[in-house]
Each structure stands twice: as C-alpha cells, then as structure tokens.
Amino acid sequence: HKDPLCEVGCPYVIRGFDFDYLGILWLNDLVWRKNRWVVNLDNVYGSALNILRGRARREARKGIIGPDTEMILHNIKKGYRILLSRAIRGIYIWFEDEETRQHVEKMLAQS
C-alpha cells in the first residue's frame, strides 16, 4: 500500500511479516488479574474460535476454568505474542485496561 500507516491486521494476517513500527490496541479480551492472565469471553470475536468459545462459555456457567477456556486463553496469548514480535524498530501499545498496562510495564522494566 502507498501509505503503510493505514494498514490494519489481526495476528493471523501479519504472521510472517515484519514492520518498522507497529501500533497495537490491547483490548479487554486478555487482561491481567490476581497474578494471572484471564480471557474475557465476551470480548473474543475471532470466527475461528466460535465453537471453542461456546464450549468455554458452558465451562464458565459451571464455574470452572476447563480445557476449552485454557485453549482460548492459549490462542489469545499466542495472538498477542505474534503481534508483539512483528515490529523491527518500535512498537506503540494502547491498553484498554489499566491493571494489564501496569503489569506489562512492570514486566518490560524487569527485562
């Protein structure tokens, strides 16, 4: 594209591509709570996860974090890992959730 600043992609679209700079919107699908990552099923929209999301919702109604919830959590974390690894020169991240932002900043300060 003539203007690379107008390109938008999800983790699966940009896999295999590297960009000088990236801007990431870290939304409430993955948040940090009580020393662990938590997936918010109401904010997971990937069509590839529809069936799995339905099964994870059934687990949530039973009050459990079962294998389907764990699989969605794994996939969402993998998606963010892909996004975070595509920038060559710099990355800008906007966080919707304050606790998640603070956790990521703390992790980056330790590295």
Side-chain angles (χ1 to χ4, degrees):
H1 194 277
K2 292 179 182 178
D3 180 5
L5 294 178
C6 73
E7 294 183 32
V8 175
C10 72
Y12 309 104
V13 171
I14 70 166
R15 186 180 301 194
F17 293 100
D18 291 326
F19 300 91
D20 284 343
Y21 293 93
L22 273 181
I24 294 178
L25 300 175
W26 193 308
L27 302 175
N28 283 337
D29 54 344
L30 180 67
V31 295
W32 184 257
R33 294 292 184 269
K34 299 180 182 175
N35 296 321
R36 67 182 184 93
W37 290 110
V38 175
V39 64
N40 182 343
L41 296 172
D42 292 334
N43 292 325
V44 175
Y45 298 104
S47 59
L49 299 174
N50 282 342
I51 293 171
L52 191 59
R53 185 179 56 233
R55 294 192 316 234
R57 283 191 171 133
R58 284 191 287 282
E59 291 174 348
R61 283 193 293 270
K62 294 177 185 176
I64 62 171
I65 298 173
D68 295 314
T69 304
E70 290 293 336
M71 182 56 75
I72 285 193
L73 178 61
H74 170 78
N75 287 332
I76 298 297
K77 287 175 14 181
K78 182 172 66 174
Y80 277 101
R81 187 170 46 250
I82 291 168
L83 289 171
L84 293 168
S85 66
R86 299 295 88 194
I88 297 169
R89 300 181 75 195
I91 191 166
Y92 300 90
I93 307 171
W94 178 84
F95 292 90
E96 187 171 18
D97 179 71
E98 181 64 20
E99 187 174 343
T100 304
R101 181 191 63 76
Q102 289 175 2
H103 174 68
V104 172
E105 285 182 350
K106 182 179 174 183
M107 287 181 2
L108 289 172
Q110 294 173 354
S111 57

